[in-house]
Amino acid sequence: MKKLTWALGLLLVVFFALILWLCFFQFPSMDDYAGSYFERSYGLGGAVRWYLREHNGRFSTIPAFLAISSSHRLMGQYALLLIFFIAFTYSSVFCFVRVLSRHLFEPSLNMKWTALIAAMLLVIFLCSVPQVSTFIYWMATSVTYLFPFGIFLFLICAYSSLLKQGQRHKWGWTAIICLLTAFLGGSNEIMLFYSFAFPFLAGLLIVAARRPIPVQLYVVAGFAILLLLIILQIPGNSARAGHYIPRQPLMVSLAGTTYRTWQTLLPVFSNPLFYIGCLGIVVAAGYLKPSVADYFASKRSGWLLETACIVGMIFFFDLIIRQVGSEVLPLRATNIIVCLTILGCWWIILVNASRLRELVKNIHIDRHRIQPVFIAGFCIALMGSGFAWQLMKNIVVSPVHAAVMKQREAIILGEKAKGRNLATISPYRESAERIVKEEYKNKSGFVLEEFDLPPSFAYFMDEPNNKDMAPIYAEYYGIDTIAGAGGKFARLGLLDSKK
């Protein structure tokens, strides 16, 4: 057992070392380039006000995004920025596991097992999300989605502490929950939706367990409603949602939402690691504190109703976005919903452990046999996962991608140093093929055929050849004109002056 545990720990260390190493081959993309322009045009405070007036209502994350993206010094340390957000996410998962372990299980996990399980949980997220590049390798989404997701895990910990039996500092935890809810409400639309729904879901669970709802939960629910009403009045949210006017027939939205809900659930239920995690939850159910087990056993709701709540939340959120905004939920947002769905499914297994009493009892008795199977199964599933395969492919070609990006930057800076106002950027594929042929020589044909360029973990939109993004790309580097495959594009500041 100890050898298997050490093997699992070593495997996770190797995976995270490679994940962090790939951060050094990532570069800014799309929205990352916008901050410097808005800061120069409006000042940092004015840029924040412009976003909240014209673009969205993310009052918590927009100031941080603009402060980072407008600083060339910080953007020059792009890899360290990504590593910071990954480290923060792991820390929040560690805290989440640690707090719930103390509140729910007996004995609680020690630090070693907490660190190991937190790493396993984060790996399961990475193997399940539909787009890894926007989950951990793009600064704009790290600020807007990944960081708030970590804060949401802290919010769950705060709710756990508030609802813990015998808790003395209930009003203190109520204040913390309100502060975290306010932050999440202004971070992105997903966190606004789920943080608003959480006190009502907690209240339903308490009612189902035939317990009185604490007065503090009423206060939190009231605060959430007030916060939602205020956020809906932010001009940027109204503009983003088309002033909340439906854009298409309801039946069209319902059909599209049904398809997208299934598409969101598919990465979860087609992932073997998710089911291995389910086995881990069943094993953990044997360690529930007697008072917690009795509390869960007293509830009247069943797993079908609880599953319907989780699926219904995905459906309802997508329907709102589709019907009001006439938009399809982007993968960067779906990433977070997938992670929350995984946690929700495992919670359903845990609270319904009493219905699996005999199974939990038998597994608990044979846990010394089950645990090695669990660890070995996790290792095998991880090594055979699509994420592991893509990780290996990215390791091979990410240096090529980085060479292309550095070459582009060197061309622009070289032209500026010569006093020229135009930089010509070769098409990405042309530059990548040339570098592959130089580096791999007679193996270049195999590399170009078997490996994706740009790499799947790199969020890349080829800004110099994108007529919508080329002006902001040129503005970021401070050169008047970018010439790409699609023509010549003037920087945004020049276009504004002409207008």
Side-chain angles (χ1 to χ4, degrees):
M1 180 66 183
K2 287 185 178 180
K3 290 182 179 180
L4 274 177
T5 304
W6 277 105
L8 173 60
L10 179 60
L11 180 64
L12 291 172
V13 167
V14 170
F15 262 76
F16 278 106
L18 295 175
I19 289 167
L20 296 178
W21 183 70
L22 284 179
C23 290
F24 291 94
F25 301 95
Q26 311 302 326
F27 292 83
S29 183
M30 285 191 67
D31 295 357
D32 292 341
Y33 293 118
S36 57
Y37 165 76
F38 285 108
E39 194 274 336
R40 283 196 300 269
S41 300
Y42 305 107
L44 186 58
V48 172
R49 289 191 293 272
W50 181 90
Y51 262 90
L52 296 179
R53 185 176 64 251
E54 304 289 343
H55 199 56
N56 58 52
R58 299 169 180 173
F59 56 82
S60 300
T61 51
I62 282 299
F65 165 71
L66 289 172
I68 294 172
S69 61
S70 63
S71 170
H72 277 268
R73 179 175 295 181
L74 288 175
M75 294 298 286
Q77 303 297 326
Y78 201 76
L80 297 182
L81 287 172
L82 299 179
I83 290 172
F84 165 78
F85 286 112
I86 294 173
F88 175 81
T89 305
Y90 175 77
S91 300
S92 64
V93 174
F94 179 91
C95 180
F96 172 79
V97 174
R98 183 74 170 166
V99 170
L100 292 191
S101 170
R102 288 178 174 177
H103 289 174
L104 300 178
F105 302 112
E106 194 175 58
S108 60
L109 294 170
N110 57 31
M111 294 294 287
K112 181 186 73 173
W113 275 102
T114 301
L116 188 65
I117 290 176
M120 293 168 69
L121 182 54
L122 188 52
V123 164
I124 292 175
F125 289 156
L126 287 166
C127 291
S128 303
V129 295
Q131 194 175 47
V132 175
S133 60
T134 57
F135 189 55
I136 58 173
Y137 287 129
W138 187 22
M139 187 278 291
T141 48
S142 292
V143 173
T144 308
Y145 291 100
L146 189 60
F147 186 81
F149 174 66
I151 298 297
F152 187 81
L153 295 181
F154 287 125
L155 177 67
I156 296 176
C157 293
Y159 271 106
S160 175
S161 297
L162 172 65
L163 300 176
K164 180 183 177 182
Q165 293 181 355
Q167 177 60 253
R168 297 180 180 180
H169 307 290
K170 288 185 177 292
W171 288 109
W173 285 111
T174 302
I176 292 173
I177 288 172
C178 289
L179 288 173
L180 294 177
T181 301
F183 175 87
L184 291 169
S187 59
N188 62 68
E189 293 73 25
I190 295 172
M191 290 293 97
L192 170 63
F193 178 74
Y194 277 86
S195 59
F196 170 80
F198 206 95
F200 299 96
L201 293 175
L204 287 175
L205 179 62
I206 293 172
V207 169
R210 305 171 188 177
R211 301 290 199 281
I213 297 177
V215 65
Q216 291 82 4
L217 202 58
Y218 285 110
V219 172
V220 172
F223 178 82
I225 293 173
L226 178 62
L227 179 67
L228 178 64
L229 293 176
I230 293 173
I231 290 175
L232 290 178
Q233 300 306 311
I234 296 176
N237 277 330
S238 179
R240 187 180 182 87
H243 306 289
Y244 310 113
I245 299 173
R247 304 289 187 86
Q248 59 187 14
L250 179 60
M251 292 305 297
V252 174
S253 294
L254 288 171
T257 298
T258 301
Y259 172 76
R260 284 306 299 267
T261 300
W262 170 249
Q263 197 175 43
T264 300
L265 293 172
L266 190 59
V268 177
F269 294 110
S270 62
N271 181 10
L273 283 171
F274 167 74
Y275 296 101
I276 293 173
C278 291
L279 173 61
I281 296 299
V282 174
V283 173
Y287 293 92
L288 283 172
K289 293 180 178 179
S291 59
V292 174
D294 292 342
Y295 186 88
F296 290 159
S298 65
K299 72 181 184 65
R300 290 170 291 182
S301 61
W303 67 272
L304 279 175
L305 177 61
E306 292 153 1
T307 303
C309 286
I310 291 178
V311 176
M313 289 182 70
I314 300 172
F315 182 90
F316 185 61
F317 179 76
D318 190 271
L319 180 63
I320 293 174
I321 298 298
R322 186 180 294 270
Q323 179 68 6
V324 176
S326 191
E327 294 182 4
V328 176
L329 198 66
L331 292 179
R332 57 183 176 269
T334 305
N335 288 336
I336 304 303
I337 293 179
V338 165
C339 295
L340 295 174
T341 301
I342 290 172
L343 295 178
C345 290
W346 287 345
W347 178 252
I348 289 174
I349 294 174
L350 195 63
V351 299
N352 288 281
S354 60
R355 302 174 189 271
L356 306 170
R357 188 175 289 108
E358 290 302 317
L359 175 63
V360 172
K361 180 181 178 181
N362 292 333
I363 288 178
H364 189 68
I365 293 172
D366 292 332
R367 61 187 180 278
H368 297 298
R369 297 179 181 178
I370 298 294
Q371 288 172 354
V373 173
F374 169 78
I375 293 175
F378 186 93
C379 292
I380 294 170
L382 176 56
M383 290 188 291
S385 65
F387 173 78
W389 176 239
Q390 288 298 320
L391 182 63
M392 296 302 108
K393 294 178 73 173
N394 274 260
I395 289 170
V396 173
V397 293
S398 286
V400 175
H401 175 72
V404 174
M405 301 302 287
K406 289 178 180 178
Q407 186 181 79
R408 289 181 166 191
E409 188 174 78
I411 290 171
I412 296 173
L413 296 180
E415 294 298 324
K416 287 179 62 179
K418 296 174 183 177
R420 299 171 183 169
N421 293 320
L422 183 146
T424 301
I425 305 297
S426 300
Y428 178 86
R429 187 69 185 183
E430 178 183 312
S431 300
E433 287 183 358
R434 183 174 62 253
I435 293 172
V436 168
K437 289 175 182 178
E438 292 172 357
E439 294 292 328
Y440 293 94
K441 297 182 173 54
N442 61 334
K443 298 293 184 182
S444 60
F446 169 78
V447 173
L448 291 172
E449 183 177 346
E450 295 295 327
F451 296 89
D452 298 325
L453 279 167
S456 59
F457 287 180
Y459 190 71
F460 175 73
M461 299 302 293
D462 200 9
E463 288 80 12
N465 297 295
N466 184 321
K467 66 178 182 179
D468 295 323
M469 291 305 303
I472 201 73
Y473 178 83
E475 186 71 32
Y476 177 83
Y477 285 105
I479 194 164
D480 287 351
T481 307
I482 290 287
K488 295 181 179 180
F489 306 98
R491 64 180 175 88
L492 196 57
L494 289 178
L495 296 176
D496 288 346
S497 63
K498 289 179 182 180
K499 291 179 182 179

